[in-house]
Amino acid sequence: MHEWALAESVICSISDEIKKNKLSRISRVTVKIGELQQIDIEIFRFALENVLATYETTVDQECIILEKELSTLKCNVCENEWSFGENIKKMQADEAEAIHFIPEIAHTYMRCPVCGSPDFNIKKGRGVWIESIEGET
C-alpha cells in the first residue's frame, strides 16, 4: 500500500508541474527512489500506471523512468561509510519493514559495522522524488 500512496503523490506532483509550466507534451520524467525506501519497483510501476489512468494529463507511462539511488550512511564517530544494502541481510523482516515505512527509524535498528555506533547520517538513498521533467510548451 505504501507504493500506491507514493505513486499518487508522484503523479499529482507531475500533473501540478505540467500545469505550472504549461507543458503540452512530456517526453521524459525521471523519478528517483532511495534505497532506504525499499520500494517494490514492479508494484510501484503498476501503481503509477493505474493512478495515471485516473488523471487528465499528457504523460504516458512509458516516459516515466524509475531510477534507484543507492544509500550512503556515514558514522559520526569513526567516519566509516557503508550502505543499507550491506546491513539488510542481517536485519529481521519486521525491522526492514519499519525502515520501509519510516526511513528515519534506521537509527533504531542499524549500527556502524566498524564501531557499532547508532550515531550516523544518511547521506543519500532516502525518499522518492522527481528528478526532472522534460517536455514542450
Side-chain angles (χ1 to χ4, degrees):
M1 294 306 285
H2 188 226
E3 284 80 356
W4 284 85
L6 291 170
E8 174 85 32
S9 295
V10 166
I11 296 301
C12 184
S13 295
I14 292 170
S15 182
D16 288 349
E17 287 300 312
I18 289 170
K19 288 176 188 163
K20 187 170 107 183
N21 293 293
K22 299 179 181 167
L23 299 173
S24 62
R25 184 178 168 276
I26 302 301
S27 56
R28 181 181 173 104
V29 177
T30 303
V31 177
K32 294 282 218 173
I33 302 167
E35 182 181 30
L36 280 169
Q37 295 299 135
Q38 303 173 74
I39 298 293
D40 183 316
I41 296 295
E42 292 311 311
I43 292 173
F44 188 58
R45 193 177 308 279
F46 181 74
L48 284 171
E49 180 181 341
N50 283 278
V51 171
L52 190 59
T54 66
Y55 276 74
E56 286 187 31
T57 180
T58 57
V59 178
D60 289 327
Q61 171 73 22
E62 295 78 33
C63 71
I64 299 177
I65 308 301
L66 304 178
E67 294 181 356
K68 189 173 187 176
E69 181 183 74
L70 297 177
S71 65
T72 300
L73 313 172
K74 184 175 181 180
C75 180
N76 290 325
V77 176
C78 72
E79 300 190 5
N80 176 49
E81 289 190 357
W82 75 99
S83 72
F84 177 71
E86 295 172 30
N87 274 55
I88 195 166
K89 294 172 189 155
K90 302 172 191 168
M91 303 177 83
Q92 299 293 320
D94 59 335
E95 296 171 343
E97 186 176 346
I99 295 170
H100 167 74
F101 286 107
I102 307 171
E104 291 75 16
I105 204 166
H107 296 87
T108 302
Y109 300 110
M110 295 174 62
R111 302 286 183 263
C112 171
V114 172
C115 73
S117 173
D119 184 13
F120 61 87
N121 287 322
I122 302 170
K123 292 178 64 179
K124 66 178 199 172
R126 175 174 49 195
V128 175
W129 67 96
I130 298 168
E131 178 80 4
S132 63
I133 299 175
E134 298 172 21
E136 300 171 4
T137 55

